[in-house]
Every structure is written in structure tokens, then in C-alpha cells.
Amino acid sequence: MASSPGASFPHQLLYRWDPIFDTPQNISDRHDEPFLKVRDEFDTASDFINCFMQVFDENDFCHHATDTVANFCAGANPNSLKDNASARTDPIAVLDDSNALTSWELYEALKSLFVSNENLKGKGKENNVSIRQTTTQNKASKRGIHRLYIASLNRWAVIALAANAPNHQAGILGEFIFNHLQFDPLIKAKILPGGFPVFALEFHLPYFALRKHRLPQRDSRRYANGDELRQSQDITFLRTMDSKVDNSLTEYVYEAKLSCLVSGSNRDSWSAYLFNDLYFEIDEDSESILHYDAQEGTGSMLDPLTAGKRSTIVSGDPREYFLIVLEVRLGLVKKEWEQLFMVVDGAIRAYDYWNKTCSLTSCRKDDQTAYSDADRQRTQLREELQEWLRRSIEILRKFISLLNEYSNEWNLFSDTGFNYLMSTDEAKHPARLHNSLASVRQQVADLRRLLFKFNCTMRLCEDMSRDVNLLIAHENNESALFQQKTARDVKVLTWITFLSLPFALAASLLSTQQGFIPITPSFGAFIASITLLEALVWLVLGVLRAVLPAWLGWAQNKTRMGTTPGCDQE
């Protein structure tokens, strides 16, 4: 049997870091030109975002990625970027050690990276884009290393990125933007095939952020059809069963995502991007653009890609930097998951349904009024609990499904991606790279423990649902037995009434005044009257049993014929 092409090669050879990335490479101006410039030379008629995304989404029949990003960016293009009020006023990004940048300022700052240092300073003054020229930033910029942090990526930021993406990285950046718009975890490393080698290290960490707000914070970023990019859900029902009626804070779970891309052509020329969803934060968050902008006067500018946990001194090794960012960000995401579990698990375990039902089942059955009231309350409680269990299991499945995807994605990355993070020469592995990788592995193990705990809580809900169903079945059996007993009693009373009716009629007839009926009252006349009336009743009953079903069937047929569509009626 023929083997697959790569069956005889170990993963270390199939998936490995190319040593060419450890040495500087000469990049032609054509490869490094902004995508917008290259596109304008060949195609100015097509929609800009469609043209940009099709560098990655090359399928001739289905363009799902292109359609998704185009719908997200509906109404936005490079020509309208400068004139849009939101694009010119809302701070959204930090580039290297810059001040807070709006989408328009980001567009100009990215465009300035492709000109000489003299023009860079001139552009900054002309467009009021203040970029701090610290020693670290100068060294990194001269080497071609850049860091971009974007809070709550919107359509205008996508336009700024796409327009100034280096031509040789347009496909990578387009795929990264599409992956960020999805809500799936992803960790991967790859080397693009082709004449010009480019590496891409990428991770996406979706999570659910638990926050207490009076009103839900809606995501203003929307697709063309009006759907929000990220959703939210009120989970107060876990504690109260019903909707909250007081004015206290409400617990909401918000969809959020962290996405990072490190891509370039060698260790001296690469760019790092990080997108962070913060739309649900009300107060100024430690990760907000304004928070990082306020550090300008402190003299201690921290790296926003590492959530301020590291300084802006950037490691020259892109793999090491990628692992440092992954280590920090995965740790923050793990804390969000841990907080969510403690709240959800605590609310589910604290529900006191059984105490309520026990107090109701203790009512005496001979007290019909109290028993009927208790039965109605039990029915209401059962309906409430079944709805509560349904919603609880539904939201737990959502959490468990996402954590399962984390585990599966890490398994896939462990099979292939680890080799990209290592050099061919074991002696060249920096100690910090090993430390970061060990820390990431530990955090993934912690997330798997959380997955196990969520599954335990799910089984608790399923066991509760099973117990409730058994209780309901038992109560239904008791109710059915009670109804059967009542039906038997009613049947007996009916027959007693039916059989005693001739006696009552005979006694009434014979007790009338003498001469009213041509019968002399006597014991024999009483027995004869009873016999005659009994026979008459049974005769009428037999006639009704024989005639009534036939008459009812004829009436039903007549009704159907009279109401049949299309029949002529006079």
C-alpha cells in the first residue's frame, strides 16, 4: 500500500523553523509597498475590501472570508476615512510608543513607516501624529520591528490596516482580521510557501467576560445586516429564577476576544498586532487606549501587547516575543474563565428548589383546599425549575463547547506548532523561550481543569433534572390514582342513582291521591311499577346506545360535506 508523501518524515522535518529567518533579507520595494498603492496600479474599480481580502480568500466559487469582512466594513473605504467623524476623533490604537491614535491618524502613521526617517518626522508634524522617538523605539523601528495595539477593532481601523499592509503580508493580515471576527479559538504557526518566505505566528483567545452593569453594554460594531459583532447575555436568572425587579446591578456575560499576529520576513523585520475587545468596559480600563496614552508623562511606557506586564524593550526574536504575549494574554483569559466559573457554579449549587417542594408535599391530603393549593404551587415550581434547568444547561454547554475547542486547538498546535518555535540548533534556544512555553502549557492545563469543573456542574444540573422528572412522574402517578379512585366513586354513585330512580318514581306514583291513577296502592303494585319502570329505562338505554353513534356519525359526515372547499352550496 502506498504511503502518504510525508508519512516517513518526522514532524521535526515537516514543521520547522526555517533558518533563513535568522538572517537579514533584502526585501524589494515592490514587496514592501502598501497594498493600497499596489492595488491602485492594477484595479481601481473593485471594492477595496473585496480586493484586499481576495489575496487570502482565493476560492473562485465561495468567498466566505471576503463576504464576512466586507459586511463588517460596509460603507467604509480609504476615500471616506478622512471625512468620517468617528475615524478622526475616537482613539483606537497605539503604534510602537505613540500617543493614542484615531483610525485616521493610524492610517497616516502606518503610511509614514514606509518613508525615510526624515519624512517620518515631517509627516508626524503635518498630521499631528505624535510618535515618541525613545531610544528603544528608534532601535526597533530601524530594525523594522513594529507593534500595534488596537482596542475594539472597528471598520475604520480595518481600512487603515488594509490600506497600508505590506504587499507581501496582505494575505496574512486579511486572514488574521477574518479570524478575529469569528468567535473560535486558534493557535497556529505557518510559513507561507512561495518565492518570498514569510512567517506568521497567530493566536485567538475568545472568552466570556462577566461584568456587573445596570444596563447591558451593546457592541456598536455591527455587520451590514445590523447584527452585533459580539453578543451579551443576562445570567441573573441563575440566582433569582426570574428577571431581576430591583435596581441592583445585573450580571452580564459578554463575548470578547484577544487576537495576536506576529509576522515578518526575518528577525530584524517583523510586525506584531494585537486586537482586544473592550466594548463592554464602562470605566477607564487598564487596557484602554487612554490609559496607555496617560503614561506619556510618567516615563515608563509599558508594552500594551503584554497588557503592561513588560516594558517596551522588544525581544529581537519574533518567536520569543510571540510566546511572551501568549503567556501574558492566556493568563488574563484564564482569570476571566475562573471568575465566570465561580459565579455560575456557586449560583447553581445555591438554588433551594428542594426545600420549597418539601414544604408543599407535606400538606395533608385529606385537607382538599390546602392540598389543591399546594398542588398548584408545585406545578408552578416545576415549570420554573424546568425552565431554569433548560437555560442553565444551555449556557453551560456554551462555555464547555468553547473550552473544548481550546483543548482541541492546543492539541493540534502541540503536534506541529511547537517545532516552529524551536531552532534547528538546540543550543540556540533561549531560556526565556522555554520558560514562556512551560508557562503557556501550565495555563492550558489549568483551563482543562476548569473544563472538568464545568462538566461536573453540568452533570449536577442533569442529575437535578433527572431527579425532578422522577418526582414529577411520581406525583403524576399519585394524581392519576386519585383521579381513578374519584372516577370509580362517581361511577358507583351514578349506577346507584340510575338503579334507584325507578324506586323513587314508583313510590311517587303510588303515593298520589286515590283516583289520580288507575292503580290501587299495594305492595304488589309497587313491585310491578318498579319492574315496568326498570324495563322502560333499560329499553331507552339500549335504543340510545344503538342509535346515537350512527346519528353522530351521520351528523359529522353532513358537517364535513357542508364545509368542503369547492362544493356548490345552494
Side-chain angles (χ1 to χ4, degrees):
M1 183 175 67
S3 60
S4 60
S8 59
F9 293 94
H11 281 183
Q12 288 82 354
L13 296 179
L14 291 175
Y15 308 100
R16 64 186 182 89
W17 183 256
D18 195 331
I20 194 174
F21 296 129
D22 295 330
T23 58
Q25 300 181 56
N26 293 323
I27 304 176
S28 68
D29 294 339
R30 193 63 175 171
H31 281 97
D32 215 23
E33 283 183 339
F35 175 78
L36 179 61
K37 180 179 179 181
V38 177
R39 174 255 188 184
D40 287 345
E41 294 178 4
F42 294 96
D43 183 9
T44 57
S46 301
D47 179 79
F48 171 73
I49 285 296
N50 285 330
C51 186
F52 171 74
M53 287 301 301
Q54 286 174 10
V55 178
F56 153 67
D57 195 17
E58 296 179 349
N59 193 319
D60 293 333
F61 304 101
C62 178
H63 301 95
H64 175 62
T66 299
D67 294 340
T68 299
V69 179
N71 286 335
F72 180 70
C73 298
N77 58 70
N79 295 327
S80 59
L81 179 62
K82 183 177 180 180
D83 299 327
N84 183 268
S86 175
R88 292 188 63 89
T89 58
D90 296 340
I92 195 172
V94 174
L95 176 62
D96 294 328
D97 294 333
S98 73
N99 294 63
L101 302 177
T102 64
S103 297
W104 167 247
E105 291 172 340
L106 175 62
Y107 172 85
E108 290 295 309
L110 290 173
K111 187 166 65 173
S112 299
L113 294 179
F114 299 96
V115 298
S116 63
N117 288 336
E118 292 78 12
N119 288 335
L120 177 63
K121 296 177 182 179
K123 288 281 184 180
K125 294 178 181 178
E126 178 182 349
N127 295 295
N128 196 27
V129 179
S130 174
I131 298 181
R132 306 185 193 99
Q133 298 296 318
T134 64
T135 303
T136 302
Q137 192 267 341
N138 274 330
K139 290 180 180 179
S141 297
K142 288 179 180 179
R143 289 185 299 170
I145 298 176
H146 300 285
R147 295 165 292 109
L148 177 60
Y149 174 81
I150 296 181
S152 301
L153 178 80
N154 60 24
R155 56 178 180 159
W156 299 109
V158 171
I159 296 298
L161 286 171
N164 293 286
N167 189 39
H168 67 284
Q169 293 189 28
I172 295 175
L173 190 57
E175 181 183 8
F176 175 64
I177 293 172
F178 167 72
N179 288 336
H180 176 71
L181 297 183
Q182 309 305 299
F183 198 68
D184 304 309
L186 178 65
I187 306 176
K188 70 176 183 178
K190 67 178 182 179
I191 297 175
L192 265 64
F196 187 80
V198 177
F199 63 85
L201 311 174
E202 179 178 355
F203 71 76
H204 299 268
L205 306 177
Y207 62 96
F208 293 96
L210 177 65
R211 298 292 186 271
K212 291 185 177 181
H213 296 145
R214 295 198 181 278
L215 295 173
Q217 302 303 301
R218 300 296 184 186
D219 192 353
S220 60
R221 303 167 299 170
R222 299 177 183 271
Y223 289 100
N225 61 1
D227 291 344
E228 298 174 3
L229 176 62
R230 308 287 186 224
Q231 307 297 320
S232 62
Q233 183 174 355
D234 181 357
I235 63 167
T236 310
F237 73 90
L238 290 173
R239 299 185 186 277
T240 63
M241 286 291 294
D242 301 319
S243 301
K244 185 175 65 66
V245 295
D246 58 13
N247 197 32
S248 61
L249 296 177
T250 303
E251 291 177 321
Y252 293 98
V253 169
Y254 296 95
E255 292 181 352
K257 193 172 186 180
L258 279 162
S259 301
C260 178
L261 170 68
V262 176
S263 178
S265 56
N266 59 77
R267 61 181 302 141
D268 291 328
S269 179
W270 51 271
S271 299
Y273 308 84
L274 190 132
F275 302 157
N276 188 7
D277 285 338
L278 298 175
Y279 69 94
F280 50 86
E281 301 290 4
I282 297 179
D283 301 326
E284 184 177 325
D285 186 75
S286 60
E287 294 240 57
S288 68
I289 298 298
L290 295 179
H291 173 78
Y292 287 115
D293 185 62
Q295 296 182 9
E296 178 183 7
T298 64
S300 58
M301 184 66 179
L302 299 176
D303 185 4
L305 274 71
T306 61
K309 307 295 184 183
R310 301 286 192 276
S311 67
T312 54
I313 300 176
V314 181
S315 169
D317 190 334
R319 297 166 298 165
E320 181 182 346
Y321 186 72
F322 173 79
L323 274 179
I324 290 173
V325 177
L326 177 58
E327 173 192 358
V328 172
R329 291 297 174 177
L330 190 58
L332 295 175
V333 168
K334 186 188 71 172
K335 290 181 180 179
E336 294 283 357
W337 278 109
E338 289 173 341
Q339 177 186 6
L340 179 64
F341 171 76
M342 288 188 293
V343 170
V344 172
D345 181 71
I348 289 175
R349 294 182 184 276
Y351 183 61
D352 60 346
Y353 170 78
W354 301 113
N355 292 333
K356 296 179 181 179
T357 52
C358 288
S359 64
L360 294 176
T361 54
S362 62
C363 296
R364 295 178 56 187
K365 294 184 179 180
D366 54 358
D367 187 349
Q368 293 296 324
T369 302
Y371 187 78
S372 299
D373 292 341
D375 188 60
R376 283 194 296 271
Q377 293 179 43
R378 278 198 304 271
T379 301
Q380 182 180 358
L381 275 176
R382 286 200 301 262
E383 293 175 352
E384 290 177 355
L385 179 66
Q386 288 176 325
E387 176 64 15
W388 181 82
L389 284 172
R390 184 193 66 79
R391 296 176 67 183
S392 299
I393 291 175
E394 179 183 355
I395 197 170
L396 283 171
R397 282 175 178 166
K398 184 187 299 184
F399 300 154
I400 290 171
S401 175
L402 190 57
L403 285 174
N404 271 324
E405 291 182 36
Y406 266 89
S407 182
N408 295 336
E409 193 61 38
W410 181 255
N411 290 337
L412 291 174
F413 183 72
S414 299
D415 290 339
T416 59
F418 278 174
N419 298 322
Y420 286 111
L421 300 177
M422 303 298 176
S423 302
T424 53
D425 184 1
E426 186 72 22
K428 293 183 179 180
H429 293 178
R432 285 184 296 180
L433 189 147
H434 283 288
N435 294 337
S436 294
L437 189 56
S439 177
V440 170
R441 281 175 166 168
Q442 181 59 50
Q443 289 165 358
V444 172
D446 292 341
L447 286 175
R448 284 174 172 163
R449 292 188 186 96
L450 272 178
L451 173 60
F452 176 78
K453 293 179 180 180
F454 270 113
N455 278 316
C456 289
T457 306
M458 169 74 85
R459 285 194 291 271
L460 174 65
C461 287
E462 291 173 344
D463 291 344
M464 188 185 301
S465 177
R466 185 164 49 251
D467 293 342
V468 170
N469 289 334
L470 290 174
L471 178 62
I472 292 173
H474 177 70
E475 292 178 352
N476 288 340
N477 288 337
E478 286 188 342
S479 177
L481 292 174
F482 180 76
Q483 291 175 0
Q484 290 176 5
K485 181 178 179 299
T486 304
R488 285 196 301 268
D489 294 342
V490 171
K491 185 176 182 180
V492 170
L493 290 174
T494 302
W495 277 106
I496 291 174
T497 303
F498 176 74
L499 294 174
S500 63
L501 183 62
F503 288 85
L505 289 175
S508 298
L509 289 173
L510 295 176
S511 62
T512 58
Q513 294 180 358
Q514 190 173 5
F516 186 77
I517 57 174
I519 299 176
T520 302
S522 65
F523 181 74
F526 181 68
I527 296 300
S529 299
I530 291 175
T531 304
L532 180 63
L533 290 172
E534 285 283 0
L536 183 61
V537 168
W538 282 103
L539 178 64
V540 171
L541 206 70
V543 171
L544 288 176
R545 291 181 63 182
V547 175
L548 189 59
W551 182 81
L552 290 175
W554 175 82
Q556 290 176 354
N557 292 333
K558 187 70 174 177
T559 303
R560 283 197 297 267
M561 292 177 61
T563 58
T564 300
C567 294
D568 296 334
Q569 299 181 5
E570 304 200 351

